[in-house]
């Protein structure tokens, strides 16, 4: 087939149908294939007096470019706001439907947020959008005024948030966007709802070959959007780390996907995010002070092909998947193909029920998480953080609302279910436990709380060299670990596995000597409360003892707990 040059002046702006035919030797045609191609209308910001020299304020030139393009995009013509190679200083701006920001590449086109303090406030200087007579499109969302780049219209149909959207056909390609987070104040208004790139209630989003740097709060916020395609994305929370600066924002998520559906994310690499590197969660739509108007917006049909996280710090997790309080605030049909973690930092990964409103009754959560598949987890390094003074695991799956492990906390009244993890390899690289170094005692392996129907095919967990549990299952049932290998270098201390109020568990494992004839840990298995029907099949079991029962385990239950050599 001959090449088609879509930039040819003979091809008009807009959408076209391309028909492809197969022609045999005698001229018969068959097997017609039709595809849609789109020729966008391109607007070069330099044609509207943008300099791209890293010195000039290019805000008005960019806004003028967008305004000119809007006359086409409003008529359903795809438009491109083109940023040639250069560095552009820009205050806040917004894009519309049928509009894409495109540069010449991550290392060639850079947009830097211009934080202008020449006036009494950032609203007066144009860094933020003025609140004087704002249009209805802000829809009561403070981030509309303060985020760097957003879609224009945040409104939506609150009675049907799953299918509702306002802007559509938008995206960003081939550029770096720097939020200049160091220039904002940590205290007060500047450190709330101040996102780098926000597309809210949008449909058909494309992001590819993009780097996001130094955001004040969330780097990429896709709240309540749908039909999202992310190709390659880098996120760096602190580019000035090597110069001794700290962009320490405790609400600096990498990617936020509240209430998102039908998203495919190919490759994301996150460096030093100060909150969750990737967040996938349900959303409650409606004013926080009017629960009678709340409507659930679940998150579903999300595929992540590859997520890699370096130096996860601050208060968040490398990966967080969460349901919400309201009935129907579920998360389901999520497929994570490969997660690779370097230095867990604070909190590892978590799948949990999250109570987002202060008046949510504790323990009465109704949103659930189900049908989650993670193909591969690789982790190198250990967590130094805590939550409510409790050590953090590599992976926690819990339906306990808000405060995992709080002794007074209740569980969600529904169990999470159908969670399948195919392969886990974790080298915690942790120093041996020392009373003089409390960071050596802040790592747990895998925690399951109030869940059912969980399968882990393979788990290799090595060098978690403290006294905490490798497997800690609480109020859970129907759990299978088909193959596990546990190799710590800590003798004595806690049991390697704990079952508390847990039933119907099967684990296949190998637990070798540390070296020579030195055994690992204390007991292989600690059993508490109403736990029963637990079978551990082992190839090797080199622990100080086998099973430890607490006094509250009924005698009949003890007979259903077995260690069997294979």
């Amino acid at each position: 087939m001959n090449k088609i040059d879509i930039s040819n002046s003979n091809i008009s702006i807009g959408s076209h149908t391309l028909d492809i035919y197969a022609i045999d030797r005698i001229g018969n045609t068959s097997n017609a294939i039709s595809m849609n191609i789109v020729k966008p209308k391109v607007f070069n910001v330099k044609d509207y007096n943008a300099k791209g020299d890293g010195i000039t304020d290019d805000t008005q030139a960019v806004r003028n470019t967008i305004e000119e393009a809007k006359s086409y995009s409003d008529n359903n013509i795809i438009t491109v706001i083109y940023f040639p190679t250069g560095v552009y200083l820009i205050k806040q701006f917004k894009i519309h439907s049928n509009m894409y920001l495109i540069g010449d590449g991550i290392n060639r086109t850079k947009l830097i947020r211009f934080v202008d303090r020449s006036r009494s406030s950032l609203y007066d200087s144009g860094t933020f959008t003025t609140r004087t007579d704002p249009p209805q499109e802000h829809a009561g969302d403070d981030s509309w005024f303060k985020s760097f780049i957003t879609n224009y219209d945040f409104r939506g149909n609150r009675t049907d948030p799953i299918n509702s959207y306002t802007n559509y056909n938008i995206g960003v390609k081939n550029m770096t966007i720097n939020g200049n987070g160091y220039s904002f104040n940590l205290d007060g208004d500047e450190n709330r709802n101040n996102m780098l790139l926000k597309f809210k209630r949008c449909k058909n989003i494309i992001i590819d070959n993009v780097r996001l740097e130094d955001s004040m709060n969330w780097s990429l916020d896709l709240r309540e959007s749908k039909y999202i395609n992310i190709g390659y994305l880098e996120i760096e929370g602190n580019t000035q780390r090597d110069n001794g600066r700290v962009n320490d924002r405790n609400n600096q998520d990498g990617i936020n996907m509240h209430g998102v559906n039908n998203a495919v994310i190919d490759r994301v690499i996150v460096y030093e995010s100060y909150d969750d590197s990737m967040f996938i969660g349900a959303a409650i739509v409606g004013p926080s002070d009017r629960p009678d108007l709340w409507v659930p917006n679940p998150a579903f049909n999300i595929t992540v092909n590859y997520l890699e996280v370096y130096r996860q710090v601050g208060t968040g997790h490398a990966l967080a998947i969460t349901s919400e309080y309201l009935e129907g605030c579920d998360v389901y049909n999520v497929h994570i193909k490969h997660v690779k973690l370097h230095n867990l930092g604070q909190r590892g990964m978590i799948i949990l029920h999250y109570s987002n409103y202060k008046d949510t009754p504790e323990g009465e959560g109704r949103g659930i998480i189900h049908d989650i598949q993670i193909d591969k987890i690789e982790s190198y390094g250990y967590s130094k953080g805590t939550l409510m003074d409790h050590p953090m695991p590599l992976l926690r799956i819990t339906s306990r609302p808000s405060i995992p492990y709080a002794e007074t906390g209740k569980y969600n009244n529904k169990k999470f279910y159908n969670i399948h993890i195919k392969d886990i390899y974790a080298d915690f690289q942790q120093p041996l436990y020392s009373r003089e170094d409390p960071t050596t005692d802040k790592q747990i392996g895998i925690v399951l709380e109030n869940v059912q129907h969980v399968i882990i095919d393979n788990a290799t967990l090595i060098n978690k060299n403290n006294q905490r549990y490798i497997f800690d299952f609480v109020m859970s049932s129907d759990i299978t670990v088909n193959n596990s290998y546990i190799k710590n270098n800590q003798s004595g201390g806690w049991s390697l596995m704990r079952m508390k109020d847990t039933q119907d568990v099967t684990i296949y494992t190998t637990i070798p000597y540390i070296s020579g004839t030195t055994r690992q840990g204390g007991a292989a298995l600690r059993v508490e409360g109403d736990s029963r029907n637990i079978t551990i099949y082992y190839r090797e079991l080199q622990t100080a003892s086998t099973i430890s029962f607490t006094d509250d385990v009924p005698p009949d239950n003890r007979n259903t707990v077995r260690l069997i050599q294979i």
Side-chain angles (χ1 to χ4, degrees), residues 196-212:
L196 179 53
L197 180 61
K198 178 159 185 167
F199 293 147
K200 181 176 181 180
R201 293 179 182 145
C202 294
K203 180 180 179 181
N204 299 336
I205 297 171
I206 296 175
I207 297 171
D208 190 22
N209 197 29
V210 170
R211 178 178 170 87
L212 304 178

Side-chain angles (χ1 to χ4, degrees), residues 499-500 526-530 548-554 558:
M499 307 292 150
K500 180 178 179 180
R526 177 183 173 90
V527 182
E528 302 179 12
D530 185 22
S548 170
F549 292 99
T550 57
D551 293 340
D552 58 350
V553 180
R558 299 184 185 209

